[in-house]
Amino acid sequence: MDEKETRPWEPYIPTYVDMYYVDYRDDLSDNTKLLQDCIDKNSLYPISEYLDDWWEYPEAPYLEEMQNQMERGGIEWDDDWVDEIRDALWAKDTSDPINDLLRNTGAITMFYSLGAEIDGWHSAFLCNPWRGESEEMAAYKIRRALGISKDSPEAKKIWTIVCNAPYGGELRIYFETDLREVLSRKYEEHDQDFKSIHFKGTVAVALYDHNQGSGYYEEFEIDRKFPFKRENLALSDSEKYSLEKCFGMCGDWLRGTDAPTLSFDAPKNNRKLKSSTAVQDRAREAELDRIFKAGGCTFGDMNYKRHRDVYYRNEIPCGSKCPHCGTFWID
């Protein structure tokens, strides 16, 4: 039997097929958790898992158009052809929705933790405030981590950071770059991850406590390569109290700074970095979200949105209370 008789739909397959249409207004700016998941897994696959939800049955318009053309040509449509036609359409698909979405998203704000914690001022009920370590020691630890000499102009900026971040925090470098620039695997090209991250040019160095939403930053000119530790890389928006929210800054606050270069070559001084404290906090937030989605809540979770039926108690001490787990927000 002639193949054209068994596949009468073949002449009606379009020459160009774009299954996924990405409008110029479509991006992933509001999908912080998804983007952070890509960073953590060093892959774009977390985004691909959502494509079927964002574009349900993308081949439907092509099938409908082919059916109309065939019926106008006197060929009766047979549903038994659908699977074969779908395979033929996907074989011709030239769309790249993930890269289109990321191109529209553009550069996003990230930070790289250097694993150094500065212990600042503390206070307690009926106790005088105390500091865990002196400002001089804090400045020394930051200079040492960044490779900056005590007599350099940048050392004065470090002192400014220490004095304006009295509660201490984590030493971080903030920058803007495309998500794809910090992924070594992308689509499972290889299993190797980057070994170094090189900051050269203008960057924002911050001492920041994301739990309290306090800290300070200055722009620096540096040229230094650090060991790369993927868990120390994060989106700034992945934190409830991000640096931007703390200072009330617009999204372009890092304009004019330089993005780092990541490579597979280990730095000469391949010292080990401690893990960022944000790693444990992200894991805890994910667990609290899971418990809430399962219908529960957690005592001590101060996020109103993860509690149900919260009511106000007009008794001393006044405040709001969750009737399920007992979490209390005092006025």
Side-chain angles (χ1 to χ4, degrees):
M1 185 180 294
D2 189 356
E3 186 177 354
K4 290 186 178 180
E5 295 181 7
T6 61
R7 304 174 66 183
W9 48 265
E10 195 166 27
Y12 295 89
I13 290 288
T15 304
Y16 303 102
V17 178
D18 286 304
M19 289 293 193
Y20 301 106
Y21 170 70
V22 179
D23 189 86
Y24 73 94
R25 294 163 295 186
D26 297 330
D27 61 46
L28 300 175
S29 301
D30 296 328
N31 289 269
T32 300
K33 289 185 178 180
L34 179 59
L35 296 175
Q36 183 62 50
D37 196 26
C38 290
I39 291 176
D40 293 338
K41 294 179 179 178
N42 190 22
S43 174
L44 292 173
Y45 274 111
I47 299 177
S48 66
E49 293 175 352
Y50 280 86
L51 294 182
D52 290 339
D53 296 331
W54 295 336
W55 285 277
E56 186 177 359
Y57 203 27
E59 59 268 42
Y62 289 99
L63 291 171
E64 183 179 357
E65 178 62 23
M66 286 181 63
Q67 182 176 352
N68 292 336
Q69 289 182 2
M70 291 174 69
E71 289 176 349
R72 286 196 296 268
I75 301 175
E76 186 178 352
W77 179 264
D78 190 339
D79 288 337
D80 291 339
W81 299 333
V82 170
D83 288 340
E84 269 192 297
I85 295 175
R86 288 176 62 188
D87 291 341
L89 287 170
W90 281 109
K92 282 180 165 287
D93 179 39
T94 58
S95 61
D96 192 350
I98 295 179
N99 279 311
D100 290 342
L101 287 168
L102 291 175
R103 183 187 65 248
N104 293 348
T105 303
I108 51 182
T109 303
M110 306 180 191
F111 68 81
Y112 187 68
S113 170
L114 300 184
E117 285 283 338
I118 302 301
D119 192 5
W121 286 98
H122 302 268
S123 61
F125 184 64
L126 297 178
C127 294
N128 292 325
W130 74 94
R131 187 178 178 92
E133 58 190 7
S134 67
E135 286 90 344
E136 289 78 8
M137 178 55 68
Y140 167 75
K141 288 173 66 173
I142 296 175
R143 290 198 307 270
R144 183 172 181 271
L146 295 173
I148 294 175
S149 64
K150 186 177 181 179
D151 300 326
S152 69
E154 305 296 340
K156 295 180 180 179
K157 293 185 178 181
I158 291 176
W159 183 252
T160 300
I161 291 176
V162 172
C163 293
N164 285 279
Y167 300 106
E170 185 177 60
L171 181 60
R172 301 170 170 181
I173 299 179
Y174 283 78
F175 59 92
E176 279 188 331
T177 193
D178 188 292
L179 174 70
R180 292 163 291 189
E181 296 299 316
V182 299
L183 303 180
S184 66
R185 295 172 64 183
K186 294 185 177 63
Y187 294 104
E188 305 293 346
E189 294 171 359
H190 50 72
D191 293 332
Q192 187 180 11
D193 202 354
F194 298 118
K195 293 183 180 179
S196 68
I197 180 168
H198 185 189
F199 292 95
K200 184 177 182 180
T202 305
V203 296
V205 177
L207 186 59
Y208 189 63
D209 183 346
H210 68 279
N211 290 312
Q212 297 190 79
S214 65
Y216 199 74
Y217 79 95
E218 287 277 359
E219 289 189 359
F220 282 70
E221 289 288 333
I222 64 172
D223 182 0
R224 189 164 177 82
K225 186 180 289 188
F226 300 93
F228 182 69
K229 194 172 184 136
R230 180 156 294 277
E231 61 190 30
N232 283 16
L233 179 67
L235 269 69
S236 184
D237 282 346
S238 65
E239 298 177 321
K240 181 180 179 181
Y241 301 112
S242 66
L243 183 68
E244 291 86 349
K245 292 178 181 177
C246 173
F247 285 92
M249 295 182 294
C250 298
D252 61 350
W253 71 281
L254 284 170
R255 187 164 296 171
T257 59
D258 297 289
T261 302
L262 290 89
S263 71
F264 298 102
D265 298 324
K268 294 180 180 180
N269 182 16
N270 196 18
R271 61 184 181 87
K272 291 185 178 181
L273 297 182
K274 293 183 179 180
S275 295
S276 169
T277 56
V279 176
Q280 293 79 19
D281 292 329
R282 286 201 301 273
R284 173 174 167 75
E285 286 293 309
E287 177 63 14
L288 293 175
D289 285 340
R290 184 194 66 78
I291 293 173
F292 180 72
K293 289 179 181 178
C297 55
T298 305
F299 176 74
D301 180 9
M302 305 310 291
N303 187 343
Y304 264 102
K305 296 181 180 179
R306 287 195 290 248
H307 296 269
R308 298 174 178 87
D309 308 317
V310 174
Y311 67 93
Y312 188 79
R313 193 183 76 165
N314 196 18
E315 302 172 4
I316 298 177
C318 300
S320 300
K321 186 175 182 178
C322 174
H324 305 291
C325 68
T327 299
F328 186 73
W329 294 263
I330 192 169
D331 284 351

